[in-house]
Amino acid sequence: MTNPEMVESLIYEKPESLTDIGTHYCPGCTHGISHRLIAEVIDEMGAREDIIGIAPVGCAVFAYNYFNMDFAEAAHGRAPAMATGVKRVNPDKVVFTYQGDGDLASIGAAEILHATGRGENITVIFINNAIYGMTGGQMAPTTLPGQRTTSTPLGRDIELHGFPLRMCEILSQMDGAAYIVRRSLHDVAHIRKAKKALRTAFEVQRQGLGFSMVELLSSCPTNWNITAEDSLKWIETHMIPTYPLGDYKVHAALSVK
Amino acid sequence: MAKELLKGNDAFAEAAIRAGCEAYFGYPITPQTEALEHMSKRMPELRRVFLQAESEVAAINMVYGAACAGVRTMTSSSSPGISLMMEGLSYIAGSEVPVVVVNVMRGGPGLGNIAPSQADYNQMVKGGGHGDYHPIVLAPATVQEMIDLTVEAFDLAEKYRTIVAILADGSLGQIMEPAELPPMQPVRKLKDRPSWALTGAKKRDPNIISSIYIDPVEEEKVNLRLMAKKAEIEANEVRFRELLLDDAEFAVVAFGTAGRIAQSAITEARAEGIKVGLMRPISLFPFPYERIHQLADEVKAMLVVEMNGGQMLEDVRLGVEGKVPVSFYGRMGGMVPMPEEVLEEIQKLARSVKN
Ligand SMILES: Cc1ncc(C[n+]2csc(CCOP(=O)(O)OP(=O)(O)O)c2C)c(N)n1
């Protein structure tokens, strides 16, 4: 009955850095993927007991329920300021924020800009889904021209609402930035690259090189009004042309390896 | 320690340092800026954290973060800056972390001016940010009280895991007076941080600090806990000073600088034979309602003096419950009443009751 040739091998395990609680995210949303990637990286670095996370206001407001580590929940857009307070009095800990595009690029634009400018030694995970997910699909600063949202029912009119903000491009101009990259979560190959970038970002912080941010192009099938499968294609066909993937700033100390 | 000539803003900043404040975050605004400048020099000297934030919004959220990490932390500002902090203060109240904030009030509304005012009484004493919460609010009247109350503020903040606000005004920030600083307390060691603090979940379950309770049943429980804490503070932390009230027929009620000015007026009124005394609330929350209520049985009338349009007046009337007439004298927009003006009001009060 049992095949003596068969050897048991473990191919999937829940990272210790995640709790057993099932997430509240919609089917097809990539928040779950990014949570898992972060947790895997933290496990691999053995950093779980030395890390403090800051959750945003947005769909990821309950991130602290899913991550098995110390966490605080910030006011809308203020996670980089709160992380600054935590990090300055815990300089030996790894401190990260997890923020949506409304949180980071709209209401929290000042805080992210100045955290970068100061070279604040924190890591920011920036989830760009081109929309306000939690409040039901309104325009975000990252919404594409022509994209329909519940507050741009005829599509984002650039005459009226201006142009999308490209945060990696903006922040990488600043001297305090040590590692600023954009990755995507739309397929397995890109997910693997995203994980590598997350690892590098946390290493940058551990080495005290300065501010690090990984932007992750993410899906929101519910508020984009398309299927989960189509939403992944939409990232590739619509988001990547506006938000090119790549390394926008890489600290010199990283390239000598 | 001997008395030195100290400016109010420098004095409360140094008092905070000596009380073990480990992290200060702020943004320049007159008439409070000397406190930030004092911190910018002293905190790095002592290897503690000083950071000039990009705004008061950022400053209070940095304070929030540092408080979550379990250290003694504070910010200071003046009226417009305090308005910007209100969202953060509400989050801090909702997450029950200890924070000290000093408001050196200036004339308003709007950009107003940089002259002394007490017009943020309602904002600070009644909560200010959204939701049901009450910071402890302490009102000094001298540089020495600025020092003593700042030190006490850190202890109270930790005792009750609450916001403690020092409500001063521009003249207290700028005035120089002889005062004595407390001895230096060291900052807390990492291992002595509170058990709820965010320090990394080493060999323990993760600590979560949050102010979101999506289930109203849970949120009401939090509110009930905050109300129970409020009741405990009301029972234990009422503070006030009285002067010449033993035989008084009239009482002046005034806080902070207005109380100090009223004191001069009362001395002059006494010289004219008017039996008047001073009741000076120091804790504005918890407000000394009970003492005011008793006082209403002892005097014939009361006069409230403030550097605003009559804000504490409402609390005095709540305490008096209509037992005696309560009149009001206020100057606004950065104007400070002169003792003669207050004396005139006391004389009016004495005449009106005699007739
Ligand atoms: C001061 C304030 N303004 C507005 C809101 C309402 N609000 C909650 S989440 C959100 C948008 C979040 O969008 P995003 O940051 O893109 O994250 P997502 O939900 O898409 O993950 C808004 C506007 C709030 N909570 N606080």
Side-chain angles (χ1 to χ4, degrees), chain A residues 197-220:
Chain A
L198 291 167
R199 173 79 192 238
T200 309
F202 282 119
E203 294 288 0
V204 162
Q205 180 178 169
R206 267 208 169 157
Q207 290 171 37
L209 298 178
F211 181 86
S212 53
M213 181 176 90
V214 180
E215 174 174 343
L216 298 172
L217 300 186
S218 303
S219 67
C220 184

Side-chain angles (χ1 to χ4, degrees), chain A residues 48-54 57 61-62 64-65 67-76 78 80-86 88-93 107 110-112 114-115 118 120 134, chain B residues 22-23 25 49-55 57-59 61-66 68-69 71 87-88 91 95 190 193 197-212 214:
Chain A
R48 194 187 69 82
E49 296 187 330
D50 289 308
I51 202 158
I52 297 154
I54 312 286
V57 173
V61 65
F62 293 123
Y64 57 78
N65 283 330
F67 286 107
N68 181 23
M69 57 195 64
D70 275 11
F71 240 88
E73 201 288 308
H76 196 17
R78 315 300 171 215
M82 203 175 177
T84 298
V86 172
R88 294 278 174 138
V89 300
N90 280 328
D92 302 334
K93 306 293 166 193
I107 197 166
E111 283 75 14
I112 195 68
H114 286 273
R118 285 192 301 269
E120 204 66 52
M134 193 198 210
Chain B
E22 196 171 336
F25 306 89
V49 175
F50 165 83
L51 189 60
Q52 180 171 326
E54 60 270 28
S55 68
V57 174
N61 285 286
M62 290 172 184
V63 166
Y64 185 14
C68 288
V71 306
E87 184 201 36
Y91 274 68
S95 346
L190 183 62
R193 292 203 192 160
L198 305 184
T199 52
K202 191 151 271 166
K203 296 188 178 68
R204 60 159 169 79
D205 287 338
N207 285 335
I208 308 290
I209 298 182
S210 151
S211 66
I212 181 171
I214 207 76

Side-chain angles (χ1 to χ4, degrees), chain A residues 9 37 82 121 135 141 199 202 205 208 216 224 235 244 247:
Chain A
S9 75
L37 295 184
M82 203 175 177
N121 199 28
T135 41
R199 173 79 192 238
F202 282 119
Q205 180 178 169
L216 298 172
W224 293 351
I235 293 177
D247 296 354

Side-chain angles (χ1 to χ4, degrees), chain A residues 31 57-60 76 100-103 107 129 131-135, chain B residues 87:
Chain A
H31 269 307
V57 173
C59 284
H76 196 17
D101 42 20
D103 195 81
I107 197 166
N129 59 8
I131 208 153
Y132 280 17
M134 193 198 210
T135 41
Chain B
E87 184 201 36

Side-chain angles (χ1 to χ4, degrees), chain B residues 321-339:
Chain B
E321 288 189 62
K323 288 199 276 188
V324 291
V326 180
S327 61
F328 175 72
Y329 184 71
R331 296 297 302 265
M332 290 177 288
M335 292 300 289
V336 179
M338 298 301 283

Side-chain angles (χ1 to χ4, degrees), chain B residues 1-45:
Chain B
M1 234 160 268
K3 281 195 175 179
E4 333 164 36
L5 192 60
L6 292 169
K7 187 174 196 167
N9 284 333
D10 292 322
F12 84 72
E14 184 61 28
I17 288 170
R18 297 191 183 199
C21 177
E22 196 171 336
Y24 174 95
F25 306 89
Y27 187 84
I29 183 168
T30 315
Q32 160 279 157
T33 305
E34 294 85 356
L36 171 127
E37 290 170 343
H38 186 90
M39 288 298 196
S40 74
K41 180 168 169 284
R42 289 279 286 149
M43 293 295 265
E45 253 172 36

Side-chain angles (χ1 to χ4, degrees), chain A residues 4 11 39 54 67 105-106 115-116 122 140 160 166 212 236 238 243 254:
Chain A
I11 55 163
I54 312 286
F67 286 107
S106 190
T116 313
I122 58 171
L160 194 63
R166 296 189 179 93
S212 53
E236 191 174 11
H238 288 75
Y243 300 108
L254 292 175

